[in-house]
Amino acid sequence: MKKITFLTMVALISAFIFTSCVKDLNVEPIDPNVNTLNNVFKDQAAYKKALAKLYASYAISGQTGGGGGSPDIQGIDENFGNYLRQYWGLQELSTDEAIIAWDDATIKDFHWQTWAPNDVFLTALYSRIFYTITISNEFIRNVNEKIGSASGTFLADLKAFKAEARFLRALSYWHAIDMYGNTPFVTEVDKPGAFFPKRITRPELFSYIEKELKEIENELVAPKQNEYARADRGAAWFLLAKLYLNAKVYTGTERYTDALTYINKVISGGYTLDNSYLRLFSADNNLSPEIIFPIAFDGQNTQQYGGMTFLLHASNGGGMPLYGIDGGWGGIRTIKDFVAKFNVKESDFANTTQYTPSDKRGMFFFDKSSWQWEITNVGTFTHGIGVTKFRNVTSTGATAPNAHPTFVSADFPLFRLGDAYLMYAEAVLRGGSGGSIATAVNYINALRQRAYGNASGNIQQSDLTLNFILDERARELYWEGHRRTDLVRFGQFTNGTYVWEWKGKVKNGIQTSAFRDLYPIPINDLNANPNLVQNPGY
Amino acid sequence: MTKPNHVNLLVNYCSKIIDPIGLTSSSNRILSTKIIRQDSFKIAKSFLFVLFFLMMQTGSLVFAQELEIRGKVISADDRTELIGANVLEKGTTNGTATDVKGEFRLKVKPGAILVISYVGYLREEVQISNQTYLNISLKVDVTQLRDVLVVGIGYGEVKKSDATGSVTAISAKDFSKGTITSPQELLIGKAPGVIANTLGGAAGAGTKIRIRGGSSIQGNNDPLIVVDNIPLESAGISGMANPLTSLNPNDIESITILKDASATAIYGSRASNGVIIVKTKRAMLLEKDLVVAKLLINYSGNFSLATPAKMLSVFTGDEFRSLIADRVANYGLTNAASTRLGNANTDWQKEIYQTSPTTEHNLTFNHAIASVPYRLSLGYLYQGGILKYNTIDRKNLSFAMTPSLLNGDLTLDVSASASLISNNFSNNDAIWSAVEFDPTQPIKNGNTRFGGYTAWTEISANDKLNGTPNNIATHNPVARLQFRENTSEAQRYLLGAKLDYKIPFISNLKATLNLGYDYYNTDGRDRTNTLASWSYREPERQLVAYNQTKTNSLLDFYLNYKLDWGVNKFDLTGGYSYQHFYNEGMNSNTSWIFQSPKITPYKNEYFLISFFGRMNYTLLDRYLLTVTVREDGSSRFSEDNRWGLFPAVAFAWKLTEEPIIGKSDFLNELKLRVSWGKAGQQDVGGNYYPYIPTYTASTAGAYYQFGDTFYPTLRPDAYDANLKWETVTSINAGLDFTILNKRISGTFDIYKNTSDDLLNNIPIPVGSNFSNFLLTNVGSMENKGFEVGLNVTPILESDYSWELGVNLTYNENKITKLTLVDDPAYTGVNTGGISGGVGNNVQKFIVGMPARIFFLFNQVYGTNGKPIEGLYVDKSGKGGNVAGNELNKYYFESPDPDYLIGVSSKVNYKEFDLSFSGRISLGNYVYNNNASNRALYQQVYNQSGFLSNILTDVRKTDFMTAQYWSSFYLENASYFKLDYISLGYNFTSLFGNNTSGRIGLSVQNVFTITKYTGLDPEVDNGIDNNIYPRPRTFMLSISLNY
């Protein structure tokens, strides 16, 4: 009897301990920085923070300041896996505007136009594009769940947030259609999990972006009415205009008239040319009336070794002036074929290291005692010509707001009015209706007058040719992340009519294959997603 | 040595240096469960200090002694001397133990009775009349197996001879007597199937252990470590080079390695990489008749000096000046380079390394109070690294007591240990800086900005001494050491209590409650001086502070029931285990300029709950069957995938117990084993909630601007709702034998481990989740191989013996699946990141090949035998730029050795002992990243105005620019290393009193024979870069027993 009592007791106690403890396996995060999806949006303020992540996705690549610790994407160093850094690299390093000296993986393949589908940088940008799209979808889903029960200013906020999220998703899809062509396609309907996103062709994706932007046109805040760095209607118009201008490349069908419609909306949106060209690229460019949509950086609050910090440091070295940074990394510079567009020659630097051509947009550095004009070794930073366009001081040379010697406070001017003027001229010249050649010339001259400081650089109607526009875009917009798209649209990215130093991995440059107008689908995704098809040629 | 079997060696080793009264070696405790006297048990609350004082008092007791007796104790069985046999004057605490020759001397009262005892033998009592020399032979106690080495198998112990799984046990006597700061080092070269490599030569550096190759590709491959029944958390702790550093190797009694799944399955979900069971020493138990034990004090200490064994070969100042002159004159290097040269001849490597002293002291007290045996050990270690300022300072205190209550029905095993560790990590950046810094520059150049230490300044700065420092230049190695303070203080407390209760009314039923608590705390800081030239580069890292607290709480409850039913014997164990892991801490970064620190706090936890059962069935003492089942629940997986079932079956056949075979002088023992089992892996690294959709907030510095406000951001994290266990299925067949009068014993195992549902961090389709990579269950891998372990005693004379141990491991690793969809075109996952550029990889995970196979271009050589820069075999036949096409890369070799052979030898001649141990590794390949990255002419001068020294290896290639993927840099790094050699002298009396001891001289890392051209062929994962050189250590050690 005693035996049985004892065993019963043991059994009961055991049963109690075991069952209560098994419940411990249901955990909730206890980390102060981690919250569950179920709880996080109980706080209304969380929506704006989640929206901030969508914007921040273009500027920094993780959740820890200074680029250390909590990266969004993997397979690449966190400071390399930065959206702007890779976007800039793919748009600029592959062209005549920039060349890089470093040994990082296959980075030199861009200028040589020899990249392969397993390229780590191509993969990084592709991953960042779709990362941004995926978190935008998540945001839109979360807003949709809440929007029915919201009211008042909160409801108005949610509506604006959602429109902005759709804009940012469209922006990333535009990068996808421009660089990778036929890509995976996911919207807020596709919940996260393990599935194979379906493939979308370039023309289908074009229609989707067009439809999205048109749908949100009136949901977005009116031009210049939103908080700084948030997208407004002007940004959506500008993106639509970009899309239409390149429609021939994306779909085979010209849409120049549509382009003009939206360029006109942008131009009449209240933006004005900045009196100071330099301010557009300085630490006070957040005050510029010309910028339509920036990627915002801050020395104290938005820090990373990618982004603007990368752009300024990587392009500095060899005795170049520092303009607010603490030293250069000696990587990126430009080549003789590019400075020739400003009629700048080696002899101009006989008595100076910073020769200013009459077109003051040309901001170059060359030290004849230690630099070499012609690039005989791509790996040597001082072969080529330094570029001093971006600065971590204000346009007057004063210390940047929230200055930091390493992390740069200047914002990246993604969309600006100057570009809209050039797009206007191009759309008119390419036969779009809704504009005039005369106005186009005026717009171009407005830019050139600012560049020369007087009318000496003004052009006549007869000067306005497509080739002139391509060169003028280079002069006005160099290093702003447009060059590859422009060269492709003008048919000069790969073909032999225009070659530059080291294009095709040849000193004097050679023609490359036309299939390289489009980047390949990265091998990682091609392997992971059976729905995808590699772009031709790769 | 007298007996080649394990227990005797262990006993001999332990007791030859002690002088117990009725105390035997610790292993005796396990054998004689009833030895403990039934006595009242009163434990003082502040037992530690009270006991300490009592002990000191008892120790000072002096006994009147009148007659000195000398004698010798031998085995009646084979006439060999018994070392460490106990000799006791009956009814007193007066006694001694026999020395290495089996002899003893003891002063007793006339008419006393001497009690002589030895493990495994019957006690003998001798009445002293007028003899002065006694010849005593002890008869074997047939009721006790002589060759019992008891091994821990998790939630219980078995005799080694009854083990059915693949188990290797290493006891204290097998440990090398070198400067061993971590228990893991005790394993190096000692056990078949186990690869243990130290990770560099820093003081307190970690050791990487792989059992049978490791079962995971990207998951954790560390074996589970169980210390005194407490499974430890596998992840490390910040600020401590190695989590096991906190244990004092001197306190370790034995290490058991469980290798096949049948042995490890009892630990279920954490056992896929094997289990290492560490048992610390306990007090030796009292003999039956004793009331008071004599206090035994053991002291051991050593002093050693470590010197750098090898440094990288770089150009001297003079050589570098001529090199630059030649590059300028003949190779188009800009003349600016010559203008930056200095006039000095500085050997930077010499400036940062030193000969460093290490000293260690251990004091152990063994005693019993009120019949409760206890052991107290105090340890102090100061170890200096060869890199200046690198030190570790460790204080250990450990206490264990084993009281018995309720007429022996309840036994307790209580232990507590504390470690206080101070680390000075110095600045490892100095190692590379010393290789690269221009040898023509002086250490100090008279500047005022950088504390006088020569620093490269921006070329645009006119002031070469005090100008803006060049961010990308190499920084002064001496300043690197001087201007950075990287230290940490860590504490660890490990508390354990095990209660064994013999349940009344049911014979042979025992309940065990095991409680454990492991607590770590670290406080660290890493400060860069304002004078440091390099701190401008990463200002956020100027003032770093961190702290971390980790706890691990354990509750095990299990029942054990033994049933003998005719020729059948059953031993059943079943129980429950609950474990909670908690981790909390913060990292803080501050820059000098902006004084508000950026603080990143973190906090997380996980739980493991398990039910387990094991049946050992023995038929006719010769057929042994073990069936194990464990059901594990982990909080890391969703409710649907949370539980994993890990079964195992093992069968052993003791052939020598078969009447028709029987034991003979030739064949002493023969056992065959076969087993099958599954084990799992739930360790998903730092991710505690991988299945829950979570949002992570950004910390300061990662805010985004809207208007004039900077907002923290909220990020959805990638998750896999279906994540589950990684499983390893293992089959094993083995053979244990002892032959030739126990002069040769050995073991042979052949195995195959198949890992499925590998926890793999793989690229996922973009758009499907919140990242481009996700930890998910995909892929399979196979490890197969064999292991041989042999222990031979070629010579066994009364004052001359030689023991030799050899073990051999062969392992073959192959990835059999990597993707969800089988795709032959899948090009694998890049791995093996190297120094030089970013994102450069030289290895692959690919189906059909071993993990981390090297993937490189095949170098073409010129007629002079030198590699031709940039010229590779055109594998694809497409021509053009061969190096521009991945299709031209070849799969070369794997970084893991095919064969690993460990050799150890020990010779005893009279009072002297000489031992060594070494390792042979065959077929391990190393990519010489030091050479590929630092033996290039292009690097001598950087456009931003600084010079860099390069490796003299450049003469072998004459390469101008980096050729990272050249097969030239892949080398066969097979090696023989003599890890350790030691010479000792043993004495039984010192200055006439009965203090015994040993004085030893030893050398560690004696020499390495290899064709590998780099610093050291022992390289983690096969990529040789920035390794802290392993020092050569010379040591003088002493141990004293009173």
Side-chain angles (χ1 to χ4, degrees), chain B residues 14-25 63 65 67-73 82-90 92-100 102-108 113-118 134 136 287 290 294-296 987-989 993-996 1041-1042:
Chain B
C14 296
S15 44
K16 75 182 173 189
I17 51 169
I18 53 174
D19 180 15
I21 298 177
L23 298 182
T24 65
S25 92
F63 295 89
Q65 290 161 354
L67 180 68
E68 189 184 76
I69 304 290
R70 292 171 63 239
K72 185 167 187 170
V73 182
L82 296 178
I83 302 169
N86 296 314
V87 182
L88 170 76
E89 184 179 352
K90 195 172 183 179
T92 72
T93 59
N94 179 34
T96 186
T98 56
D99 63 17
V100 284
E103 293 182 335
F104 69 92
R105 55 174 80 189
L106 183 69
K107 285 178 178 170
V108 296
I113 294 169
L114 284 192
V115 181
I116 298 102
S117 59
Y118 193 77
L134 297 172
I136 298 151
E287 277 281 4
L290 285 180
K294 186 182 171 187
L295 171 68
L296 300 169
F987 51 88
T988 48
S989 78
N993 68 31
N994 57 359
T995 303
S996 60
N1041 309 290
Y1042 171 72

Side-chain angles (χ1 to χ4, degrees), chain A residues 18 21 24 26 33 35 37 63 70 72 74 104-105 118 138 142 193 228 296 301-303 318 326 404 505 525, chain B residues 536 540 576 578 598 609 642 693 695-697 699 701 703-704 707 715 761 766 768 772 837-838 840 881 886 943:
Chain A
F18 299 163
C21 289
D24 283 349
N26 295 317
N33 285 319
N35 208 336
L37 172 62
Q63 296 302 82
S70 185
D72 300 331
Q74 297 176 46
D104 299 322
N118 62 353
E138 167 82 357
N142 288 321
Y228 178 71
N301 297 296
T302 314
Q303 303 176 332
D326 53 354
H404 190 292
K505 213 181 176 181
D525 207 33
Chain B
Y536 291 82
E540 301 308 306
Y576 162 82
Y578 172 95
K598 287 199 182 97
I609 290 174
R642 182 163 293 162
Y695 272 71
T696 299
T699 57
Y703 288 5
Y704 198 75
R715 171 182 78 185
N761 193 33
V766 297
S768 64
N772 56 337
V838 163
N840 291 336
N881 172 28
E886 286 279 296
Q943 46 79 24

